[in-house]
Amino acid sequence: MAATVYQTNKKTGITYAYESVSYWDKEKRQSRAKRKCIGKVDPITKEIIPTRKKNRITKNKLILLNLKDFFMAQLFCLIKFEKRLD
């Protein structure tokens, strides 16, 4: 079961919202919690402002996108060159 936990940074005074999921640690025989930062909490409206984008572009995806653009540019140049020959 997920719960929203609010924690204030003492140095900056900013309150962050976390999604907390509880699980049982078999080795230590204790309940533990995994937290994932959802975002900052607006002090006036108390609304959660996301700190990260959900669909970040990874390094591998960025390389593939650059290769796709490179090949598309080469194809465009070849088509242009072929039209000049006609």
Side-chain angles (χ1 to χ4, degrees), residues 32-50:
R32 296 286 179 184
K34 289 184 181 181
R35 288 186 180 182
K36 181 179 177 185
C37 184
I38 301 170
K40 293 181 182 181
V41 178
D42 187 291
I44 299 169
T45 63
K46 305 295 184 200
E47 188 176 319
I48 298 172
I49 303 165

Side-chain angles (χ1 to χ4, degrees), residues 24-68:
W24 183 257
D25 189 350
K26 292 179 183 178
E27 290 179 14
K28 294 187 177 186
R29 295 183 181 180
Q30 292 178 348
S31 176
R32 296 286 179 184
K34 289 184 181 181
R35 288 186 180 182
K36 181 179 177 185
C37 184
I38 301 170
K40 293 181 182 181
V41 178
D42 187 291
I44 299 169
T45 63
K46 305 295 184 200
E47 188 176 319
I48 298 172
I49 303 165
T51 53
R52 294 186 182 175
K53 294 183 181 179
K54 290 183 181 178
N55 296 324
R56 291 190 340 201
I57 296 177
T58 61
K59 192 174 184 179
N60 292 337
K61 286 182 184 176
L62 188 61
I63 290 170
L64 289 175
L65 288 174
N66 288 341
L67 282 174
K68 181 181 173 186

